[in-house]
Amino acid sequence: MYVAVKGGEAAIDNAHRWLADLRRGDRDLAPLQTQQVSEQLTLATSRVMAEGAIYDRELAALAIKQARGDLIEAIFLLRAYRTTLPRFGTSKPIDTGAMNCLRRISATFKDVPGGQVLGPTFDYTHRLLDFALAADGEVPAALQAKLQSQATSSTGRKPRISDFLDDEGLLQPEPTGDATPPDLTREPVSFPAGRALRLQALTRSDEGFLLGLAYSTQRGYARNHPFVGELRIGVVAVEMEIPELGFSIEIAEIEVSECETVNQFQGSKTEPAQFTRGYGLVFGQAERKAISMALCDRALRWEELGEDNLGAPAQNEEFVIMHGDNIQATGFVEHIKLPHYVDFQSEAELVRRLRRMHAEDATPSQGDTA
Amino acid sequence: MMQDEPLFAASGLSKSYGTHVGCRDVSFDLWPGEVLGIVGESGSGKSTLLNCISGQLEPSEGDVLYRTQDEGMKSTQAMTEPELRKLRRTEWAFVHQNPRDGLRLSVSAGGNVGERLMAIGARHYGDIRNSASEWLERVEISTARIDDRPSTFSGGMQQRLQIARNLVTHPRLIFMDEPTGGLDVSVQARLLDLLRSLVRELGLSAIIVTHDLAVVRLLADRLMVMRGGSVVEQGLTDQVLDDPQHPYTQLLVSSVLMP
Amino acid sequence: MSTLVREHYNFAYLDEHTKRMIRRALLKGVAIPGYQVPFASREMPMPYGWGTGGVQVSAACMVPDDRVKVIDQGADDTTNAISIRKFFERTAGVALTERTAEATLIQTRHRIPEHPLSEGQILVYQVPIPEPLRFLEPRETETRKMHALSEYGLMHVKLYEDISQHGEIATSYAYPAEVNGRHVFDPSPIPKFDNPKLDNAPALQLFGAGREQRIYAVPPYTRVRSLDFEDYPFVAARAEHQCALCGALHTYLDEVIIDDEGGRMFVCSDTDYCNERQQANQETGNDAG
């Protein structure tokens, strides 16, 4: 006698227990501390904060640990947490010009006021596995002291490259305004979305998705000939007006990566040639994402700048915004593993009936010819 | 009773794009059952004019009037979008130069013809299919092809299918944009023949935009010649083609072999 | 664990501002049956596509006295149904039930319960793609216009194509219907067998699409007509078998493969309804009713 599949509840509980057990792994090893994650897997923490859209290293580290290192799962945990948080107000726009930079480079000028500061970058490392790390290689104390003094001498406030171009009129100015930007987590997105909303969506978008799109713009799917005008990573203050005080106070310091690309713009009959920008801003140290974001932002501006629509995915606002969110994407892509047997049954009955009808249609005609 | 009123009229119609002029101060009346040809070379403003009068482009100045069933002559600019959209799928029809713009290529020929019927509320499959068969026959497409997709049709067949799809709801006014463009000469002749007999049989009013004088000689009662956005000459087709007054019309007529 | 969760989160997880925003959308949906109301869908602690829309709608309607039932594929014991039921148990502490008749709020994915619903009950559907015209017309700006102007000819073109190719309307689930003589809507991927239950139902039917940020509703006793042709009327299809457990001939059946030789049996997809019938059969000593 067939018994309908029961025990789903027990199965779920068991799955969760098993998951927790595997998360802990070999009990002979010390359990992973969340501080170890935020301190030693800083870039993973950065990514989870950026795409989780909440700046909190400790929570991001906890999410990474809880997700067994699955970063999209960790981002999901943060998003689901952030959505329940009350909103006390809105900060003032951060001033990245006042950033305390630990890395700052420009590809458009050999040297610039404030200097090119390489900072802690993988750029010129040789990608050779460092077996000393496997053997727990610590940075020698003497070297550590030297590095620290170097760091303090080169970091600090740097003038923005785009301001130099701006002063000369070479770079198209960006409109300034006090308008409150829309919030895609509080209003349903409608199209056309506009640049403020696009940038908001891009900074939360999946790094891999943006990287692929940005790459496609360089390979001819949209016309993009950018230079990195400036890439800077560092710490900025977040300030908020407190109505009771009547002035703004600093409520936090956050680390961000900012990229401004400079693109050619041929000009038109009415406007002389000028450079235009693409913009990327991401929480934490995330320069790959910041650069990708700037390329995508610039490609999406084709209409505003009177460029041709080449039909490239990176030019299609609806395509980019609707498909860049990895939490939406992973949910919908993976939901097809949920049971669909009611619909499948319905389809199976239909196909069987159609095949039966087809067979019945075919039989008499064979009889006729026989 | 209202035969003394035109079906459709344009008055002082202009359209400019910034400093560029699409068309300038165009006026005409179209009477029931009349076919008006608009000729000119590319860039003469004839396509801009067609888009303005068919409600696809907002004119910068002037007015377009259509004699509606209920309210008599009514400005199309005064119509709401729902009214205009309804007109476009009932009393008006539009034949595009490229049949791909006027057909659903992934829908069968029968479905293409039936769409306008279903859009105005037809809900009997058998009736819709019969109408579709009838119209396929009228435009000389074998009814055996009714379930085939137009992507498998030749260019001439696609154009005839587009015409059937438009005429199935018995419109009063049909706009045609270079309906024979892009077709072989022999295919063109057959299509023109078909169009002429359909227009006469159904008593349709039509506005045909073309650069091809042979098309208007065969189909149009009246002719407007456009150049640089303006109408330089208009009159009865035979009159304009056989005794052109404006130097540009003379040049146009002399530059083509007459049939 | 539950008390810990309830200390840190509001009743039924969502904050009251969000619930109010959702309720406003629901009221609009009820006022214009079948109209898709945009709403600022929140990020939920379960994945998009797994019922986030339905959960938000349920949470916005839920009160502490509710008795909640959750089904997926008609069954209370499918994993996602259990997961959502546990979510409400943890975050709202409401009473749970598997009995359709006893529930005040039922969240469902892919089925309408067999047991007739009654006045005062709320049925919440999880919706993946709310737009019935989406696969005919991909542009949102255009589909909204088509709804606004009741331009539904295209929907029938699809049905026409089905008949011309297959001899019948080959849509077996998510079968489009017209609500209150006005809006055409997607009743979510329920089998078309369930479509007649949408019509003139005493319960309030609410639809939530989280990822697509849309809410719509069919108020009690509202006319819902499945689209068809006069000469090809809508037919609610089911497998031509009998439930092997309760003997029902009138319910929607699941097909189960029971051995390595591919032997099949058919059982009710609605587990609560089937249990109810099995018990009744035992009491009357009747094996198949």
Side-chain angles (χ1 to χ4, degrees):
Chain A
M1 165 75 190
Y2 166 81
V3 182
V5 188
K6 277 275 178 193
E9 193 150 0
I12 290 178
D13 288 342
N14 288 337
H16 291 176
R17 268 196 293 276
W18 198 351
L19 186 65
D21 181 61
L22 289 181
R23 178 189 297 127
R24 176 59 183 88
D26 186 346
R27 301 297 199 276
D28 290 339
L29 298 172
L32 182 64
Q33 301 301 305
T34 53
Q35 294 91 327
Q36 291 176 321
V37 176
S38 58
E39 283 299 309
Q40 297 175 40
L41 298 177
T42 324
L43 302 188
T45 312
S46 283
R47 178 170 176 196
V48 169
M49 289 195 307
E51 290 165 38
I54 179 169
Y55 194 95
D56 191 317
R57 288 195 182 281
E58 283 167 40
L59 287 181
L62 170 61
I64 292 169
K65 179 179 176 181
Q66 187 178 334
R68 303 176 66 198
D70 179 334
L71 295 190
I72 289 185
E73 188 62 35
I75 292 160
F76 192 176
L77 287 167
L78 276 199
R79 289 269 192 99
Y81 176 78
R82 129 193 233 288
T83 189
T84 65
L85 297 177
R87 292 182 175 224
F88 298 119
T90 312
S91 76
K92 292 174 67 178
I94 55 169
D95 178 10
T96 53
M99 179 188 286
N100 190 6
C101 300
L102 84 151
R103 170 161 164 79
R104 186 280 196 117
I105 54 165
S106 169
T108 49
F109 296 97
K110 182 168 184 182
D111 199 7
V112 281
Q116 305 261 19
V117 180
L118 265 189
T121 174
F122 287 119
D123 283 356
Y124 306 102
T125 60
H126 293 141
R127 269 66 171 196
L128 302 171
L129 283 174
D130 180 357
F131 294 101
L133 270 181
D136 214 9
E138 281 287 343
V139 182
L143 181 59
Q144 209 169 359
K146 194 179 157 204
L147 279 172
Q148 237 150 35
S149 73
Q150 237 177 30
T152 38
S153 67
S154 57
T155 57
R157 191 177 171 143
K158 318 268 180 210
R160 235 199 302 244
I161 310 282
S162 54
D163 292 341
F164 297 116
L165 294 170
D166 254 348
D167 293 345
E168 217 184 319
L170 277 178
L171 189 61
Q172 199 184 51
E174 296 299 339
T176 53
D178 291 331
T180 309
D183 182 346
L184 68 90
T185 67
R186 284 294 179 269
E187 293 149 42
V189 174
S190 63
F191 296 99
R195 194 170 176 214
L197 200 68
R198 281 200 311 248
L199 288 169
Q200 215 172 99
L202 289 176
T203 194
R204 282 160 56 104
S205 284
D206 183 76
E207 178 173 317
F209 180 80
L210 282 195
L211 177 64
L213 272 183
Y215 181 44
S216 76
T217 68
Q218 293 178 301
R219 291 195 65 258
Y221 290 86
R223 203 167 33 201
N224 234 344
H225 301 286
F227 309 102
V228 168
E230 182 172 1
L231 172 72
R232 48 169 64 197
I233 301 175
V235 174
V236 291
V238 180
E239 291 183 15
M240 195 166 150
E241 298 261 16
I242 308 293
E244 289 82 354
L245 297 178
F247 53 88
S248 61
I249 56 163
E250 186 179 320
I251 54 168
E253 281 192 327
I254 60 172
E255 186 179 47
V256 293
S257 304
E258 183 188 53
C259 176
E260 276 197 286
T261 56
V262 175
N263 291 58
Q264 292 151 11
F265 171 59
Q266 264 112 358
S268 62
K269 273 182 192 151
T270 51
E271 283 174 275
Q274 219 174 13
F275 290 106
T276 57
R277 13 183 163 204
Y279 187 72
L281 180 79
V282 188
F283 279 161
Q285 293 184 38
E287 63 184 76
R288 181 188 299 123
K289 168 97 174 261
I291 295 169
S292 302
M293 177 174 166
L295 294 192
C296 290
D297 169 49
R298 181 58 184 77
L300 286 168
R301 297 180 68 193
W302 64 272
E303 202 165 10
E304 162 200 350
L305 297 172
E307 295 171 340
D308 291 336
N309 181 2
L310 304 174
Q315 289 180 305
N316 185 332
E317 176 183 87
E318 192 168 333
F319 182 87
V320 174
I321 292 183
M322 293 305 279
H323 302 114
D325 190 291
N326 50 23
I327 302 307
Q328 288 179 2
T330 199
F332 203 59
V333 165
E334 292 192 55
H335 105 282
I336 59 172
K337 71 193 170 192
L338 285 179
H340 280 78
Y341 50 76
V342 162
D343 293 346
F344 180 75
Q345 179 62 29
S346 199
E347 288 278 272
E349 283 302 317
L350 176 71
V351 171
R352 280 177 186 142
R353 196 166 54 248
L354 294 176
R355 289 181 65 85
R356 214 156 46 225
M357 275 162 53
H358 183 79
E360 281 160 15
D361 284 352
T363 323
S365 73
Q366 278 169 0
D368 289 346
T369 50
Chain B
M1 138 193 120
M2 302 219 300
Q3 289 304 313
D4 53 343
E5 267 195 337
L7 178 72
F8 188 87
S11 68
L13 215 55
S14 297
K15 175 71 189 176
S16 48
Y17 307 91
T19 54
H20 173 74
V21 174
C23 63
R24 184 188 298 119
D25 195 24
V26 179
S27 300
F28 66 86
D29 288 338
L30 182 75
W31 298 82
E34 190 184 28
V35 178
L36 173 70
I38 302 173
V39 294
E41 58 202 7
S42 55
S44 63
K46 59 188 194 305
S47 294
T48 301
L49 179 63
L50 185 71
N51 286 331
C52 281
I53 59 180
S54 61
Q56 303 185 59
L57 210 60
E58 181 90 4
S60 315
E61 268 175 72
D63 210 358
V64 178
L65 300 163
Y66 174 69
R67 190 186 343 135
T68 59
Q69 313 267 24
D70 307 327
E71 298 174 76
M73 287 307 263
K74 186 169 180 185
S75 162
T76 58
Q77 277 121 296
M79 292 181 190
T80 59
E81 192 179 1
E83 277 180 285
L84 257 181
R85 279 173 81 115
K86 186 163 180 228
L87 264 191
R88 276 197 222 121
R89 59 176 202 264
T90 53
E91 297 181 26
W92 292 6
F94 198 107
V95 174
H96 295 264
Q97 171 172 10
N98 186 345
R100 283 162 188 271
D101 295 333
L103 292 173
R104 289 190 193 280
L105 292 183
S106 58
V107 166
S108 70
N112 263 290
V113 179
E115 180 175 349
R116 272 171 80 110
L117 292 172
M118 290 181 257
I120 57 170
R123 294 292 180 265
H124 190 284
Y125 175 82
D127 291 351
I128 294 164
R129 202 165 165 83
N130 287 340
S131 297
S133 302
E134 206 177 288
W135 271 98
L136 289 181
E137 267 173 32
R138 285 183 90 155
V139 299
E140 298 161 22
I141 295 173
S142 161
T143 50
R145 306 290 306 267
I146 190 167
D147 293 330
D148 294 347
R149 293 185 175 184
S151 47
T152 64
F153 288 7
S154 69
M157 276 171 82
Q158 287 183 352
Q159 198 55 296
R160 293 199 303 272
L161 180 64
Q162 196 195 174
I163 289 164
R165 171 180 158 87
N166 270 289
L167 296 186
V168 65
T169 50
H170 298 283
R172 297 162 82 197
L173 172 61
I174 181 165
F175 301 97
M176 291 188 250
D177 185 11
E178 302 275 10
T180 58
L183 297 177
D184 294 343
V185 178
S186 62
V187 179
Q188 278 186 20
R190 186 174 166 199
L191 187 73
L192 282 175
D193 250 9
L194 177 72
L195 273 175
R196 183 161 64 167
S197 57
L198 285 174
V199 164
R200 296 284 178 267
E201 265 172 52
L202 301 168
L204 279 172
S205 303
I207 296 174
I208 302 175
V209 158
T210 181
H211 69 282
D212 188 343
L213 295 184
V215 170
V216 284
R217 185 180 280 282
L218 211 59
L219 289 177
D221 303 308
R222 236 154 26 93
L223 210 56
M224 290 198 328
V225 182
M226 290 193 72
R227 190 193 187 195
S230 300
V231 176
V232 295
E233 183 164 359
Q234 57 179 318
L236 295 175
T237 304
D238 292 346
Q239 202 182 336
V240 174
L241 292 185
D242 297 339
D243 183 18
Q245 301 298 306
H246 191 277
Y248 175 70
T249 317
Q250 290 166 354
L251 186 75
L252 207 62
V253 170
S254 64
S255 65
V256 288
L257 290 169
M258 297 312 283
Chain C
M1 184 73 187
S2 297
T3 31
L4 194 66
V5 168
R6 259 173 283 154
E7 269 168 30
H8 284 82
Y9 291 96
N10 191 31
F11 173 77
Y13 179 78
L14 293 176
D15 60 278
E16 293 302 313
H17 287 284
T18 300
K19 286 185 191 171
R20 271 201 287 278
M21 177 272 292
I22 295 172
R23 287 180 201 137
R24 279 195 292 272
L26 287 169
L27 287 174
K28 198 184 271 188
V30 168
I32 316 168
Y35 168 72
Q36 297 168 48
V37 186
F39 83 111
S41 174
R42 294 291 187 260
E43 283 165 312
M44 298 300 285
M46 59 272 294
Y48 285 108
W50 299 51
T52 52
V55 169
Q56 288 179 77
V57 169
S58 292
C61 294
M62 201 170 285
V63 292
D65 294 343
D66 265 323
R67 258 189 318 282
V68 174
K69 170 182 167 83
V70 183
I71 51 171
D72 187 339
Q73 314 296 301
D76 296 271
D77 56 359
T78 38
T79 42
N80 202 43
I82 293 167
S83 165
I84 291 172
R85 194 165 58 226
K86 280 191 136 180
F87 175 74
F88 286 127
E89 186 181 26
R90 285 172 69 182
T91 59
V94 289
L96 303 173
T97 181
E98 297 194 359
R99 308 295 298 270
T100 301
E102 287 172 9
T104 54
L105 193 153
I106 304 171
Q107 179 167 331
T108 180
R109 176 169 172 263
H110 295 191
R111 277 305 313 273
I112 299 178
E114 305 284 4
H115 193 101
L117 299 173
S118 54
E119 283 181 20
Q121 285 185 308
I122 299 178
L123 182 60
V124 176
Y125 296 75
Q126 301 173 202
V127 180
I129 307 263
E131 179 50 72
L133 302 163
R134 180 58 66 240
F135 295 106
L136 303 166
E137 171 55 65
R139 291 166 299 172
E140 176 72 16
T141 43
E142 186 62 20
T143 52
R144 288 189 80 76
K145 207 169 273 177
M146 290 161 83
H147 283 293
L149 304 178
S150 298
E151 286 182 5
Y152 293 127
L154 200 54
M155 201 84 236
H156 273 87
V157 172
K158 200 260 164 206
L159 303 182
Y160 170 96
E161 291 291 285
D162 273 1
I163 300 173
S164 71
Q165 274 160 44
H166 304 295
E168 66 172 272
I169 295 172
T171 300
S172 60
Y173 61 91
Y175 192 102
E178 179 198 80
V179 194
N180 201 30
R182 177 59 181 82
H183 282 93
V184 166
F185 87 123
D186 181 337
S188 88
I190 56 172
K192 67 177 177 180
F193 172 82
D194 281 339
N195 267 34
K197 298 181 197 159
L198 293 159
D199 180 34
N200 212 30
L204 171 62
Q205 304 178 77
L206 304 175
F207 299 78
R211 200 177 37 82
E212 300 275 343
Q213 307 189 309
R214 293 291 183 274
I215 277 173
Y216 47 103
V218 176
Y221 302 112
T222 302
R223 177 104 177 86
V224 176
R225 197 179 54 79
S226 302
L227 300 186
D228 60 1
F229 287 104
E230 288 155 21
D231 47 344
Y232 281 83
F234 171 83
V235 181
R238 70 186 281 277
E240 288 161 0
H241 293 275
Q242 188 174 21
C243 172
L245 299 177
C246 76
L249 280 160
H250 61 283
T251 57
Y252 192 78
L253 301 173
D254 288 339
E255 181 176 344
V256 186
I257 302 175
I258 47 173
D259 54 39
D260 292 352
E261 279 71 54
R264 313 285 163 104
M265 73 185 294
F266 290 85
V267 294
C268 288
S269 113
D270 185 335
T271 48
D272 168 59
Y273 189 73
C274 194
N275 288 339
E276 209 172 75
R277 282 178 51 86
Q278 287 176 61
Q279 271 168 20
N281 290 344
Q282 270 177 358
E283 280 159 23
T284 58
N286 191 350
D287 230 24

